[in-house]
Amino acid sequence: MSGVQEALIQVENLHRVFVTDEVETHALAGIHLSIARGEYVAISGPSGCGKSTLMAILGLLDTPSEGDYWLDGRPVASLTPSERARIRNRRVGFIFQSFNLIGDLTVHQNVELPLLYRRVPSAQRRQWVQEALDRVGMSHRAKHYPAQLSGGQQQRVAAARAVVGRPAILLADEPTGNLDSNSGRAVMDMLAELHREGTTICMVTHDPRYAGYAQRTIHLFDGRIVDDDMAVQKPQDSLGGTVERRA
Amino acid sequence: MTTLWQDVRYGFRMLAKNRGFTAIALVTLAVGIGANTIMFTMSDLLLRPPTKVKEPEQLMYCAIQDALFPWFRYSAYLTLRNSGLVFSDCLAQGDDARPTTLVHGNSVGQVRAAYVSANYFSFLGVAPAQGRGFLPAEERQGSGPVMVLTHRTWRRLGADPNMVGQFLRVNGVSCQVVGIAPEGFTGATFIGPDLWLPLGSHLAVADLSRGRPPRADLGPDRDYPSVHLVGRLQPGLSRSAAQAQLQALVARFKREYPRQWKPNSSLALRPPGRFFIDADVEQEQLSATLFSLVLMGVSGVILLIACLNLANMLIIQGAARRREMAVRMALGGGRWRIIQQLLVESALLALLGGILGLVLAFWGTSILRAWIGSVQDAELRCFRPSLNVRVLVATLGFCLVATLLFGLRPAQWLSRCDIAGEMKDSAGGVLGSVRRRRRGLSMVGQIALAVALVLSASLLTRSAFQLMRPDPRFPLEDKLVVQIDPLSAGYDRVRSIQTCEALADRLSSLPQVKALGTSPRLFFGGGDVLSISECTPAAEDGGARRHLARWAAVTDVGRDYFAALEIPLLQGRRFNLRDGAPNAEKVTIIDESLARKLRPDGNALGCFVQYGGFGEYSDPYRVVGTVAHVPGVGDPEVHLQMYKPAQPDQLSPYLYVHVANRKAAGMLREQIAEEIHRIDARVPILSIETLARIRKADTSIWFARFGARLALAAGAAALFLAALGIYAIKGFMVVSRTPEIGIRKALGATHWDIMSMVFREGLVLTVVGLFFGLLLGLGVARVAASLLYGVSPIDPVSVVATVVLLALTAVLAGLIPARRAARIDPMAALRYE
């Protein structure tokens, strides 16, 4: 079990079954996966293969029907809803395809939200929010409302919100899905920058160009891992850049 | 038409699909429309003319202006009727202000009788439901007493189908029932008597039976009551022309009735009052209209709250339908077509709500009828609110108003949607609820209106409680008042007095009786239409007279009256047996307020006072004692009180019994009834009640309680609607913000974080609504301060109660949506997005 303790995320034999109107859908059918601290993993596969379901379980938004999950060496199956909320708040950062910023809150307030739930003192909150916005280059828009930003800017704010609490892992579900190619590339560059600074990233994408940003790509099909490639990304030039496969 | 039918069918489908929304909307509308229907029923009752009367707008009341008293002598009525001037026909009606005892078998009760001319029913165009009206011969003195019962009285007596022809005892006089009036007929006015007798019966039934001999100074009029006159103008004659013609009689009346008619007296024509025949109809109309406006204003506020609720709910629900509307518009549906469809859906809701509202109103008016039925005052029992065609039409109108109030704005908003924007995939990155600010304003508005109504209800309720609370210095639970009517047993005055005395002797000797007093009337505080003046002993001969008060009470008392009622003697002495002797000096005991009026230091012993009315004054009375003031019921004014010793030849059928043990009052009541039967089984017992119960049944207390109940009902409806509104708005808010809540939970928000968020948002709105509502409510209370008794318009208890009640309501109404929000599964919420 030494590997289990060293990995940030460790899942074994993960199943997730959805039952609707007497129809059983096996979204995940026996996933074994380990993600080390500081790793940048891309999960790819066709629509309906279970990428987002896996992501939701890794982010403690959903619970598996069967199997074990250790986060930072700690099993999560027995956690209460409050404990899961606390871990989500302190250990996990989310970036969603549709940004999901709250329209009634300013950029600053959106980014501040996880810190409010953590009861971080206001002075520290201000400092962390400022740092997070600086990291994604959105400080100058702190007082704006999300509707006043472009799609790419909104996603950068979403990224700032995801990392402001200094999570152990950043989960990004199709972070470029709603962006044009330029904005998408900017977001991917930003994630790469965050990874270089030490953030563990697990990203769902069905776009192989963006999967190439990750050190490792896991391919899912019908709820199973069908391929697990470790890649060494030479230049960080993203689209069209040279990618060398390690395994 | 086909389109409309399609819209109706689609509307029904939408209502069936959104059952939760439909249920809340229907309840909201039912309360709003039902409250308006009930209040309209009351207003309709107050403003519509008396039922059953033929062409009531043609009736004209003939008033005597500036005379010593405003009634016609019977002979004057005959003069006017036979003159052929002005009226094609006219009736005479004499009301007996004193209660009349009606005995039918074992049933004994006090009723209100009216003495009318023989043409009464034919003049008003009403045929009795059973039997007949009066014959001309019955109008003349000396004919056998007959009567017509109101339908209500006939029902109260058991609705015997063979009642016509039977003999009932009225004030001890045997009267034959010759007719039963049709249901709902109350006479020329809305408030009517319980039975009618012809003018010719007055002497026997109202005077002789009560031991009152006819007044010889009235000549041939001595046998008849003074009457009011109502006529129908001759065809083509205008009111002003008729009034001018009538003046021809004035000189004759002044000549024939010099004691009544003054030099400047005249005759005037005006429509009869709606409630009291001699009332100023314009003043009555103004009061009734004002009262109706208050009622309709209150119910209008309730309907407004209901419609604000619904408009909010429709806008929130509409947010989910914007895409549907965009599709319809993309397919060629015009803006007006969309508005029409949405308005049809709103109208369907309003109509269904209206039907439920009618059910509620039916139930509400039954309760109102029961409340009104409980009033002691027989006149008020004439008010029987019921649903009718006018009410149904009004309800339909309320539905239409409601449709426009709650349906138009959402329809306009939905019909203005951006087709292209809505048709795009809704993968927007910004989560926000629809028109949150406008909904917030609306929620503040309805909370403010509800607070104002609840505060008003609270103030009126506190006022009613203050009114009902007897003065602690005068305990009433241990005072029994026995009222008998030996005259109704057919006894003459002497025997009646003997019976009362025998009964008083017997009851005094009972061990449970601490003290016993007697009086010819029921008195427990307050004042009468009598003036009191200070005078010198020779005042009756034109000596000096100092006027002290216009409203005062003068009560004749016998035996240990003050001890029986525990009225403390403050100065001087009580009455003794010698004071009541026929040739004894006239002495009086006065209350402390009159004593202070006489002498600022209250030491009024030895002063002389007189009482009087209509220009006539009593003999001077020397003050021999001062007692505590007995406060009236529901009257903040302090009326002066004066007591005289009852004369030996005075009938005192009211016995005041001070019970030794308050708890034994119930048992003693039965024992007293047995004693009365033992002494003389023929003597009717009109009532044996504690003063506490008599006071509770007082009309002013009933009115205060009735007003408080109405206000409480309105306040409760407003509170209920506000709660429903908060619940619905928050519920829909939570639904519309499901993705946002999911995101918040994904970011680490706990159950408590989400619940407190939902609560916090409601709290701000509630506090703002409370603030404005209190301002509004206190403003209304200040304007209506005259309706309050013993409570300041800025009553801290009412304010605190209102705040606590509203806060609790808001918390409870927000609890379920908040819990629902906290339970949202973040994964499901994100899938929702």
Side-chain angles (χ1 to χ4, degrees), chain B residues 38-39 41-43 45-46 291 295 298 364-376 380-381 383-385 456-457 460-461 463-465 467-468 696-715 787:
Chain B
I38 292 170
M39 295 302 193
T41 310
M42 291 284 287
S43 300
L45 199 65
L46 290 172
F291 188 61
L295 290 181
V298 169
T365 44
S366 309
I367 291 176
L368 274 181
R369 273 201 302 277
W371 285 354
I372 292 171
S374 70
V375 68
Q376 199 74 10
L380 288 173
R381 288 203 292 264
F383 286 97
R384 289 188 61 78
S456 306
L460 283 174
T461 308
S463 171
F465 273 115
L467 198 63
M468 283 189 278
K696 203 175 162 190
D698 187 88
T699 306
S700 57
I701 287 186
W702 182 88
F703 262 120
R705 220 168 32 215
F706 183 72
R709 279 170 170 176
L710 272 186
L712 275 179
L787 295 175

Side-chain angles (χ1 to χ4, degrees), chain B residues 790-808:
Chain B
V791 178
S792 156
I794 308 171
D795 175 39
V797 176
S798 299
V799 171
V800 170
T802 305
V803 170
V804 169
L805 205 58
L806 253 293
L808 273 177

Side-chain angles (χ1 to χ4, degrees), chain B residues 221 510 524 573 750:
Chain B
D221 290 323
L510 292 176
F524 52 104
R573 64 169 177 88
T750 58

Side-chain angles (χ1 to χ4, degrees), chain B residues 634-654:
Chain B
D635 190 356
E637 293 276 313
V638 174
H639 297 293
L640 310 184
Q641 290 160 359
M642 177 178 164
Y643 301 90
K644 303 188 288 146
Q647 302 299 303
D649 62 344
Q650 200 169 3
L651 179 63
S652 294
Y654 288 88

